[in-house]
Amino acid sequence: RTASLCERYLALAAEALAAEASVFTRPATDAFERNLDACAAGHPGRADAWRAAAVHTLNAAWAPERALTRFRSLEAGGVPARLDRPARGRLQLDAAFALLRLGRRPEANALLRASLASAPTPKAARLAIGLGEALDDAAETARNHTGSAPPARPQAGGSAP
């Protein structure tokens, strides 16, 4: 498998999996993951970027468990530290989305904060604002990048204005 063939395959497979996925249908990702691993083994110089992009692909395919497993493996191998800031921020944001889909909000908030610190993007800022209870510094960073304030939170013993 040449690097360009792998590149094309991974892009087309990501597009196909995302198109097939819905809240009602989860496409099989086994073949995609096998081919990803084969391509990464054959082209170690591109492996980190391809494996990081796979976290997004698996999320788009409504496979948050697989996305999170891939992310944890990348973390254990030190991959996020080797990625440039924008790629690291995208990876962290994709992992935060996987955690949210799995109902693991505190962990998602921590990764969202890391994503905003790595590479503040409008998508990450909107997520921080939308969560409402996102960590205060993440919400503050979001305000700085979007000019929008997060939703008001009720005070103890009272309600939001």
Side-chain angles (χ1 to χ4, degrees):
R1 299 175 182 168
T2 66
S4 63
L5 177 62
C6 285
E7 195 80 39
R8 284 194 304 263
Y9 166 77
L10 294 171
L12 289 172
E15 189 177 309
L17 287 170
E20 187 180 338
S22 76
V23 293
F24 303 110
T25 304
R26 175 189 275 185
T29 61
D30 296 345
F32 167 77
E33 291 186 79
R34 273 193 311 277
N35 286 315
L36 164 71
D37 291 336
C39 285
H43 305 281
R46 295 189 182 182
D48 287 351
W50 289 342
R51 287 184 171 136
V55 173
H56 179 82
T57 298
L58 292 167
N59 240 347
W62 282 87
E65 302 90 355
R66 297 297 312 140
L68 190 57
T69 297
R70 287 277 174 173
F71 175 74
R72 295 293 184 218
S73 175
L74 293 173
E75 260 188 332
V79 172
R82 291 193 300 266
L83 297 173
D84 63 27
R85 288 174 58 94
R88 183 172 53 247
R90 282 189 304 273
L91 174 62
Q92 292 163 327
L93 182 60
D94 288 330
F97 271 109
L99 286 163
L100 285 173
R101 284 185 170 160
L102 295 170
R104 295 164 62 178
R105 189 172 175 160
E107 290 174 83
N109 283 344
L111 273 174
L112 177 58
R113 181 175 59 188
S115 174
L116 284 165
S118 293
T121 64
K123 186 176 183 178
R126 285 191 305 271
L127 180 61
I129 291 169
L131 285 175
E133 289 186 57
L135 300 173
D136 290 339
D137 53 345
E140 181 63 33
T141 301
R143 274 196 301 276
N144 292 338
H145 289 281
T146 65
S148 301
R153 285 185 252 150
Q155 300 297 319
S159 61

PDB file of all heavy atoms in Angstrom, residues 101-117:
ATOM      1  N   ARG A 101     -20.679  11.890  24.310  1.00  0.00           N
ATOM      2  CA  ARG A 101     -21.622  10.886  23.804  1.00  0.00           C
ATOM      3  C   ARG A 101     -21.743   9.710  24.766  1.00  0.00           C
ATOM      4  O   ARG A 101     -22.764   9.038  24.794  1.00  0.00           O
ATOM      5  CB  ARG A 101     -21.188  10.395  22.427  1.00  0.00           C
ATOM      6  CG  ARG A 101     -21.487  11.398  21.352  1.00  0.00           C
ATOM      7  CD  ARG A 101     -21.169  10.859  19.982  1.00  0.00           C
ATOM      8  NE  ARG A 101     -21.689  11.780  18.984  1.00  0.00           N
ATOM      9  CZ  ARG A 101     -21.270  11.813  17.748  1.00  0.00           C
ATOM     10  NH1 ARG A 101     -20.341  10.982  17.328  1.00  0.00           N
ATOM     11  NH2 ARG A 101     -21.789  12.679  16.894  1.00  0.00           N
ATOM     12  N   LEU A 102     -20.693   9.474  25.524  1.00  0.00           N
ATOM     13  CA  LEU A 102     -20.706   8.383  26.504  1.00  0.00           C
ATOM     14  C   LEU A 102     -21.202   8.844  27.872  1.00  0.00           C
ATOM     15  O   LEU A 102     -21.208   8.065  28.824  1.00  0.00           O
ATOM     16  CB  LEU A 102     -19.304   7.777  26.623  1.00  0.00           C
ATOM     17  CG  LEU A 102     -18.800   7.079  25.357  1.00  0.00           C
ATOM     18  CD1 LEU A 102     -17.325   6.726  25.497  1.00  0.00           C
ATOM     19  CD2 LEU A 102     -19.629   5.834  25.076  1.00  0.00           C
ATOM     20  N   GLY A 103     -21.585  10.111  27.985  1.00  0.00           N
ATOM     21  CA  GLY A 103     -22.108  10.640  29.240  1.00  0.00           C
ATOM     22  C   GLY A 103     -21.043  10.922  30.280  1.00  0.00           C
ATOM     23  O   GLY A 103     -21.350  10.981  31.470  1.00  0.00           O
ATOM     24  N   ARG A 104     -19.824  11.132  29.869  1.00  0.00           N
ATOM     25  CA  ARG A 104     -18.718  11.350  30.809  1.00  0.00           C
ATOM     26  C   ARG A 104     -18.298  12.816  30.775  1.00  0.00           C
ATOM     27  O   ARG A 104     -17.206  13.167  30.359  1.00  0.00           O
ATOM     28  CB  ARG A 104     -17.584  10.395  30.461  1.00  0.00           C
ATOM     29  CG  ARG A 104     -18.032   8.948  30.698  1.00  0.00           C
ATOM     30  CD  ARG A 104     -17.172   7.911  30.052  1.00  0.00           C
ATOM     31  NE  ARG A 104     -15.811   7.902  30.534  1.00  0.00           N
ATOM     32  CZ  ARG A 104     -14.898   7.037  30.106  1.00  0.00           C
ATOM     33  NH1 ARG A 104     -15.213   6.122  29.229  1.00  0.00           N
ATOM     34  NH2 ARG A 104     -13.674   7.105  30.558  1.00  0.00           N
ATOM     35  N   ARG A 105     -19.197  13.662  31.243  1.00  0.00           N
ATOM     36  CA  ARG A 105     -19.037  15.110  31.139  1.00  0.00           C
ATOM     37  C   ARG A 105     -17.814  15.684  31.851  1.00  0.00           C
ATOM     38  O   ARG A 105     -17.129  16.525  31.282  1.00  0.00           O
ATOM     39  CB  ARG A 105     -20.323  15.781  31.628  1.00  0.00           C
ATOM     40  CG  ARG A 105     -20.364  17.237  31.367  1.00  0.00           C
ATOM     41  CD  ARG A 105     -21.723  17.767  31.707  1.00  0.00           C
ATOM     42  NE  ARG A 105     -21.732  19.198  31.560  1.00  0.00           N
ATOM     43  CZ  ARG A 105     -22.806  19.893  31.418  1.00  0.00           C
ATOM     44  NH1 ARG A 105     -23.973  19.312  31.403  1.00  0.00           N
ATOM     45  NH2 ARG A 105     -22.742  21.192  31.301  1.00  0.00           N
ATOM     46  N   PRO A 106     -17.503  15.299  33.089  1.00  0.00           N
ATOM     47  CA  PRO A 106     -16.316  15.881  33.738  1.00  0.00           C
ATOM     48  C   PRO A 106     -15.028  15.630  32.946  1.00  0.00           C
ATOM     49  O   PRO A 106     -14.203  16.524  32.794  1.00  0.00           O
ATOM     50  CB  PRO A 106     -16.272  15.195  35.106  1.00  0.00           C
ATOM     51  CG  PRO A 106     -17.693  14.803  35.372  1.00  0.00           C
ATOM     52  CD  PRO A 106     -18.254  14.440  34.018  1.00  0.00           C
ATOM     53  N   GLU A 107     -14.875  14.409  32.414  1.00  0.00           N
ATOM     54  CA  GLU A 107     -13.698  14.116  31.598  1.00  0.00           C
ATOM     55  C   GLU A 107     -13.721  14.923  30.304  1.00  0.00           C
ATOM     56  O   GLU A 107     -12.684  15.394  29.833  1.00  0.00           O
ATOM     57  CB  GLU A 107     -13.634  12.629  31.267  1.00  0.00           C
ATOM     58  CG  GLU A 107     -13.310  11.731  32.436  1.00  0.00           C
ATOM     59  CD  GLU A 107     -13.412  10.279  32.034  1.00  0.00           C
ATOM     60  OE1 GLU A 107     -12.420   9.758  31.468  1.00  0.00           O
ATOM     61  OE2 GLU A 107     -14.480   9.677  32.257  1.00  0.00           O
ATOM     62  N   ALA A 108     -14.920  15.067  29.727  1.00  0.00           N
ATOM     63  CA  ALA A 108     -15.060  15.854  28.495  1.00  0.00           C
ATOM     64  C   ALA A 108     -14.672  17.306  28.750  1.00  0.00           C
ATOM     65  O   ALA A 108     -13.998  17.933  27.931  1.00  0.00           O
ATOM     66  CB  ALA A 108     -16.485  15.770  27.961  1.00  0.00           C
ATOM     67  N   ASN A 109     -15.078  17.846  29.893  1.00  0.00           N
ATOM     68  CA  ASN A 109     -14.729  19.229  30.227  1.00  0.00           C
ATOM     69  C   ASN A 109     -13.214  19.410  30.306  1.00  0.00           C
ATOM     70  O   ASN A 109     -12.676  20.408  29.834  1.00  0.00           O
ATOM     71  CB  ASN A 109     -15.366  19.644  31.552  1.00  0.00           C
ATOM     72  CG  ASN A 109     -16.837  19.946  31.421  1.00  0.00           C
ATOM     73  OD1 ASN A 109     -17.348  20.145  30.328  1.00  0.00           O
ATOM     74  ND2 ASN A 109     -17.530  19.963  32.537  1.00  0.00           N
ATOM     75  N   ALA A 110     -12.523  18.438  30.905  1.00  0.00           N
ATOM     76  CA  ALA A 110     -11.065  18.541  31.024  1.00  0.00           C
ATOM     77  C   ALA A 110     -10.404  18.527  29.646  1.00  0.00           C
ATOM     78  O   ALA A 110      -9.487  19.313  29.380  1.00  0.00           O
ATOM     79  CB  ALA A 110     -10.529  17.403  31.889  1.00  0.00           C
ATOM     80  N   LEU A 111     -10.885  17.663  28.760  1.00  0.00           N
ATOM     81  CA  LEU A 111     -10.311  17.626  27.410  1.00  0.00           C
ATOM     82  C   LEU A 111     -10.694  18.862  26.609  1.00  0.00           C
ATOM     83  O   LEU A 111      -9.907  19.346  25.797  1.00  0.00           O
ATOM     84  CB  LEU A 111     -10.758  16.365  26.672  1.00  0.00           C
ATOM     85  CG  LEU A 111      -9.884  15.159  26.927  1.00  0.00           C
ATOM     86  CD1 LEU A 111     -10.467  13.917  26.283  1.00  0.00           C
ATOM     87  CD2 LEU A 111      -8.479  15.386  26.428  1.00  0.00           C
ATOM     88  N   LEU A 112     -11.876  19.371  26.833  1.00  0.00           N
ATOM     89  CA  LEU A 112     -12.285  20.605  26.160  1.00  0.00           C
ATOM     90  C   LEU A 112     -11.366  21.747  26.578  1.00  0.00           C
ATOM     91  O   LEU A 112     -10.914  22.531  25.742  1.00  0.00           O
ATOM     92  CB  LEU A 112     -13.732  20.940  26.504  1.00  0.00           C
ATOM     93  CG  LEU A 112     -14.271  22.239  25.938  1.00  0.00           C
ATOM     94  CD1 LEU A 112     -14.175  22.267  24.424  1.00  0.00           C
ATOM     95  CD2 LEU A 112     -15.704  22.430  26.390  1.00  0.00           C
ATOM     96  N   ARG A 113     -11.061  21.818  27.856  1.00  0.00           N
ATOM     97  CA  ARG A 113     -10.141  22.852  28.336  1.00  0.00           C
ATOM     98  C   ARG A 113      -8.769  22.688  27.680  1.00  0.00           C
ATOM     99  O   ARG A 113      -8.164  23.662  27.226  1.00  0.00           O
ATOM    100  CB  ARG A 113     -10.014  22.790  29.856  1.00  0.00           C
ATOM    101  CG  ARG A 113      -9.080  23.865  30.399  1.00  0.00           C
ATOM    102  CD  ARG A 113      -9.038  23.888  31.893  1.00  0.00           C
ATOM    103  NE  ARG A 113      -8.588  22.587  32.382  1.00  0.00           N
ATOM    104  CZ  ARG A 113      -8.583  22.236  33.644  1.00  0.00           C
ATOM    105  NH1 ARG A 113      -9.007  23.063  34.562  1.00  0.00           N
ATOM    106  NH2 ARG A 113      -8.152  21.058  34.021  1.00  0.00           N
ATOM    107  N   ALA A 114      -8.291  21.455  27.577  1.00  0.00           N
ATOM    108  CA  ALA A 114      -7.001  21.207  26.932  1.00  0.00           C
ATOM    109  C   ALA A 114      -7.052  21.586  25.456  1.00  0.00           C
ATOM    110  O   ALA A 114      -6.103  22.158  24.919  1.00  0.00           O
ATOM    111  CB  ALA A 114      -6.614  19.737  27.085  1.00  0.00           C
ATOM    112  N   SER A 115      -8.160  21.299  24.796  1.00  0.00           N
ATOM    113  CA  SER A 115      -8.317  21.651  23.386  1.00  0.00           C
ATOM    114  C   SER A 115      -8.277  23.159  23.192  1.00  0.00           C
ATOM    115  O   SER A 115      -7.618  23.671  22.290  1.00  0.00           O
ATOM    116  CB  SER A 115      -9.634  21.088  22.841  1.00  0.00           C
ATOM    117  OG  SER A 115      -9.868  21.540  21.525  1.00  0.00           O
ATOM    118  N   LEU A 116      -8.972  23.873  24.051  1.00  0.00           N
ATOM    119  CA  LEU A 116      -8.975  25.336  23.954  1.00  0.00           C
ATOM    120  C   LEU A 116      -7.585  25.904  24.227  1.00  0.00           C
ATOM    121  O   LEU A 116      -7.189  26.895  23.619  1.00  0.00           O
ATOM    122  CB  LEU A 116      -9.997  25.935  24.914  1.00  0.00           C
ATOM    123  CG  LEU A 116     -11.449  25.806  24.462  1.00  0.00           C
ATOM    124  CD1 LEU A 116     -12.394  26.087  25.627  1.00  0.00           C
ATOM    125  CD2 LEU A 116     -11.744  26.722  23.296  1.00  0.00           C
ATOM    126  N   ALA A 117      -6.839  25.266  25.104  1.00  0.00           N
ATOM    127  CA  ALA A 117      -5.477  25.730  25.393  1.00  0.00           C
ATOM    128  C   ALA A 117      -4.534  25.422  24.228  1.00  0.00           C
ATOM    129  O   ALA A 117      -3.640  26.202  23.926  1.00  0.00           O
ATOM    130  CB  ALA A 117      -4.960  25.084  26.669  1.00  0.00           C
TER     131      ALA A 117
END
